[in-house]
Amino acid sequence: MSLGVGLMTARPDVVEPVTVAVIGTGAIGRDLVSKIHRSPALDCRLVAGRNPESAGLRYAERLGYATTAAGIEAVLAAARPFDVVFDATSAASHRDHWPLLEPLGTLVIDLTPSKVGQMVAPTVTGVSAATGRNVNLISCGGQASVPVVHALAARFPVTYLEVVSTVASDVAGRATRLNLDEYVATTGAAVTAFSGVTDVKAILNISPAVPPATFRTAVHARMADADPAAVRAVADRVAGQVRSFAPGYEVTACTAVGDLVTITLQVMAHSDVLPPYAGNLDIINSAAVMVAEQYAARPDRVSRTGVTS
């Protein structure tokens, strides 16, 4: 079930942290580990990758966490299942991982555009796993755009939506580039699912610009008689909600000309390891950590030690 915005965006008080593992040690995995490290609700027990020389594994080791280059096999071989497993690999890998993780009863938070689990955008859906134990964070563009398209469609007669995201080349790693088709399909599916608009388009631009381009997403919407002031009010309200977990999220432009509305969103990263322009990684990781923290705070959660929190 969805949680109210006030509850779902609050950082919960947790009696007992949940044990977590991270699969994937690229840029997104490294930032995810840094955010988990700052959370009193999450106890990172393992960071698993494939490349023993990866920067993500070295970073996790410096923080004092157990690491392995054995990938998901090490997660499956753990003496006791983790409460939460974050999958920061690729869409294809997650499709292989989920059947292996599902029997463990753990909560799996998927940061790939695999579209396997329940799609979650915190300020729209809440953060609880209502229909299963696989939570999908859609994509970075999905996290940036879904709150806006959802709010626009609830307020105005929207007939077309187009979401165009731009990320800097040096923070679009190998998995991102391998996932381009899945990214477009999953982001488009989320836009339709959360707006009810069937005529949609999703685009991802990987920019080689120097200096690097800050992550931004432009939402283009067709609607009759759009009032610019009303559209801006909706966009600003949504941005305020998203900033409760992704403080670098802001509306940088909002125009309405005829029946075409364009809302430009920018996300600056608030991270110990990412450059400020890498807001694409920051927003999806911030959402993932919030999901895990809210899970940790659930009164019906039974810890792996058998004690109910």
Side-chain angles (χ1 to χ4, degrees):
M1 75 189 211
S2 297
L3 304 178
V5 168
L7 173 60
M8 76 186 176
T9 56
R11 295 299 184 189
D13 294 325
V14 179
V15 175
E16 181 188 2
V18 292
T19 61
V20 309
V22 175
I23 310 173
T25 58
I28 193 167
R30 187 164 70 253
D31 178 60
L32 181 59
V33 169
S34 77
K35 286 175 166 54
I36 292 169
H37 184 68
R38 295 199 304 264
S39 174
L42 308 179
D43 177 12
C44 186
R45 297 288 181 87
L46 183 65
V47 179
R50 287 294 185 190
N51 178 4
E53 302 303 319
S54 72
L57 283 185
R58 293 197 299 269
Y59 176 74
E61 289 168 356
R62 288 197 298 272
L63 293 180
Y65 296 129
T67 64
T68 177
I72 190 174
E73 289 82 2
V75 174
L76 299 172
R80 177 175 294 156
F82 302 96
D83 295 303
V84 177
V85 173
F86 296 91
D87 192 340
T89 57
S90 68
S93 294
H94 182 73
R95 294 188 192 100
D96 293 335
H97 292 169
W98 172 236
L100 302 174
L101 293 168
E102 185 176 16
L104 302 181
T106 190
L107 174 64
V108 177
I109 300 176
D110 176 20
L111 292 97
T112 81
S114 70
K115 208 169 60 171
V116 170
Q118 175 192 2
M119 292 188 292
V120 165
T123 61
V124 177
T125 62
V127 294
S128 58
T131 59
R133 301 189 67 83
N134 188 319
V135 172
N136 178 256
L137 274 299
I138 308 168
S139 66
C140 57
Q143 289 300 320
S145 64
V146 161
V148 170
V149 301
H150 175 264
L152 285 178
R155 173 68 174 78
F156 305 104
V158 179
T159 58
Y160 172 77
L161 286 165
E162 182 173 304
V163 174
V164 183
S165 294
T166 300
V167 303
S169 180
D170 68 345
V171 290
R174 180 174 180 271
T176 298
R177 295 167 193 268
L178 289 173
N179 286 341
L180 286 179
D181 288 345
E182 290 89 346
Y183 175 101
V184 169
T186 300
T187 304
V191 169
T192 291
F194 293 115
S195 70
V197 178
T198 56
D199 190 3
V200 306
K201 182 182 290 184
I203 299 170
L204 177 64
N205 296 320
I206 298 177
S207 171
V210 178
T214 298
F215 173 63
R216 62 184 182 274
T217 294
V219 175
H220 305 285
R222 294 276 182 192
M223 62 183 78
D225 302 319
D227 175 52
V231 171
R232 182 70 195 225
V234 168
D236 286 343
R237 173 176 55 82
V238 167
Q241 294 171 351
V242 175
R243 279 195 295 272
S244 65
F245 71 92
Y249 185 95
E250 64 174 323
V251 179
T252 58
C254 183
T255 61
V257 180
D259 68 346
L260 177 62
V261 167
T262 298
I263 299 171
T264 304
L265 309 159
Q266 178 177 282
V267 187
M268 298 289 289
H270 286 241
S271 169
D272 295 334
V273 299
L274 296 176
Y277 55 82
N280 52 312
L281 306 185
D282 184 82
I283 191 170
I284 196 168
N285 281 341
S286 296
V289 168
M290 172 172 280
V291 170
E293 288 180 336
Q294 291 289 348
Y295 176 69
R298 281 173 48 175
D300 61 338
R301 178 181 66 82
V302 177
S303 76
R304 295 302 181 182
T305 61
V307 179
T308 303
S309 298

